[in-house]
């Protein structure tokens, strides 16, 4: 299994971008393209369906040595024996999540310098920082943080940080240019005609 330090391309289950595809195929294509992480992120799906999909994704990620993280739901993360959970600012605070998650990965979404510092202090294993660019994917819109906050994280963040929000083939190089080699990408991959190839292109730029 990969370590967080090795992560560069952070990917997702398809969510509302599924169309008429099999979600496992979409995830497998991302893994073949070099995804280091798959996050189960299905905002509109019932827990029962998330559990069913999660079982399949746990299997495919385990077989490929890809990290498997569950968004929002600590119970599902444990039931699925995921590698970790990803928590937003409105989810269970890490102080309560850590004793349950023990030494599994706990990631936290951050949208400001203050939140970055708090997440580090409270013992997050990694943080997401964003939205870096304009995005239409996120349901509850946060203010765009821009490349500035990523640069600041590079100076002061002692744990792995992943840039997220509006990242794709046409702007991912700008992250690398400021020293950030970890990106989480949804729509630029999901809307690409060839998911595996799109991941390869993004991963190559991050490497
Ligand atoms: N958190 C901040 S932006 C975002 C999340 C989950 C959505 C990223 O999706 P996209 O399509 O890569 O902008
Ligand atoms: Mg959340």
């Amino acid at each position: 299994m990969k370590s967080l330090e090795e992560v560069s391309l952070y990917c997702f289950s398809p969510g509302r971008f599924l169309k008429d595809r099999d979600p496992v195929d979409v995830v497998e294509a991302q893994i073949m393209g070099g995804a280091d992480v798959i996050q189960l992120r299905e905002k509109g799906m019932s827990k029962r369906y998330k559990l069913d999909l999660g079982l399949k994704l746990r299997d495919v990620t385990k077989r490929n040595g890809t990290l498997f993280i569950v968004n929002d739901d600590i119970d599902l993360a444990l039931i699925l024996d995921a590698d970790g959970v990803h928590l937003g600012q409105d989810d269970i605070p890490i102080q309560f999540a850590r004793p349950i998650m023990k030494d599994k990965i706990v990631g936290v979404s951050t949208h400001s310098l203050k939140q970055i510092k708090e997440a580090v202090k409270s013992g997050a294993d990694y943080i997401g920082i964003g939205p870096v660019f304009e995005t239409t994917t996120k349901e509850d819109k946060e203010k765009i943080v821009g490349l500035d906050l990523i640069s600041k994280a590079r100076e002061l963040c002692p744990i792995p940080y992943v840039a997220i929000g509006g990242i794709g083939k046409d702007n991912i190089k700008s992250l690398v240019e400021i020293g950030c080699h970890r990106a989480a990408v949804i729509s630029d991959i999901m809307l690409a005609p060839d998911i595996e190839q799109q991941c390869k292109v993004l991963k190559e730029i991050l490497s």
Side-chain angles (χ1 to χ4, degrees):
M1 200 56 69
K2 287 188 174 107
S3 77
L4 281 171
E5 297 293 337
E6 293 171 282
V7 168
S8 60
L9 186 59
Y10 188 126
C11 295
F12 296 81
S13 61
R16 69 175 169 86
F17 295 99
L18 178 64
K19 295 193 223 130
D20 56 355
R21 301 173 288 195
D22 179 333
V24 180
D25 290 346
V26 172
V27 164
E28 268 177 336
Q30 292 179 95
I31 293 173
M32 291 308 121
D36 301 299
V37 178
I38 295 295
Q39 181 186 118
L40 175 66
R41 184 178 190 274
E42 295 291 337
K43 288 288 179 184
M45 200 182 268
S46 73
K47 269 207 184 169
R48 182 67 69 94
Y49 276 104
K50 276 195 262 187
L51 175 61
D52 287 347
L53 175 58
L55 287 167
K56 293 177 192 155
L57 299 189
R58 172 67 290 189
D59 182 50
V60 69
T61 49
K62 201 165 251 173
R63 278 192 277 112
N64 287 281
T66 309
L67 285 170
F68 181 51
I69 304 285
V70 172
N71 192 44
D72 297 338
D73 303 310
I74 295 176
D75 51 356
L76 280 183
L78 292 176
I79 291 166
L80 292 168
D81 190 28
D83 297 299
V85 71
H86 186 90
L87 302 170
Q89 293 290 323
D90 295 332
D91 295 317
I92 300 290
I94 191 162
Q95 291 84 346
F96 296 95
R98 177 58 73 197
I100 305 169
M101 294 303 292
K102 306 220 166 67
D103 57 0
K104 284 187 183 285
I105 296 168
V106 181
V108 177
S109 290
T110 64
H111 318 290
S112 68
L113 200 51
K114 185 166 172 270
Q115 289 175 1
I116 292 174
K117 287 178 181 166
E118 277 167 9
V120 170
K121 207 168 133 203
S122 61
D125 295 298
Y126 77 92
I127 52 170
I129 306 176
V132 181
F133 305 113
E134 182 74 44
T135 177
T136 50
T137 304
K138 194 150 164 54
E139 303 74 8
D140 44 341
K141 279 256 166 67
E142 298 285 344
K143 204 164 97 257
I144 292 170
V145 301
L147 291 168
D148 271 7
L149 192 58
I150 304 296
S151 294
K152 290 208 183 84
R154 188 176 181 228
E155 285 162 30
L156 59 83
C157 185
I159 57 174
Y161 55 93
V162 184
I164 186 164
I167 298 166
K169 187 170 68 60
D170 298 334
N171 59 20
I172 198 165
K173 197 161 172 275
S174 61
L175 289 171
V176 176
E177 283 166 355
I178 58 164
C180 174
H181 294 265
R182 284 189 199 94
V185 180
I186 303 181
S187 52
D188 192 67
I189 290 172
M190 296 298 166
L191 298 173
D194 183 334
I195 286 184
E196 180 178 336
Q197 184 53 28
Q198 192 75 357
C199 288
K200 283 182 177 160
V201 168
L202 296 171
K203 177 110 180 192
E204 173 70 24
I205 300 169
L206 287 172
S207 305

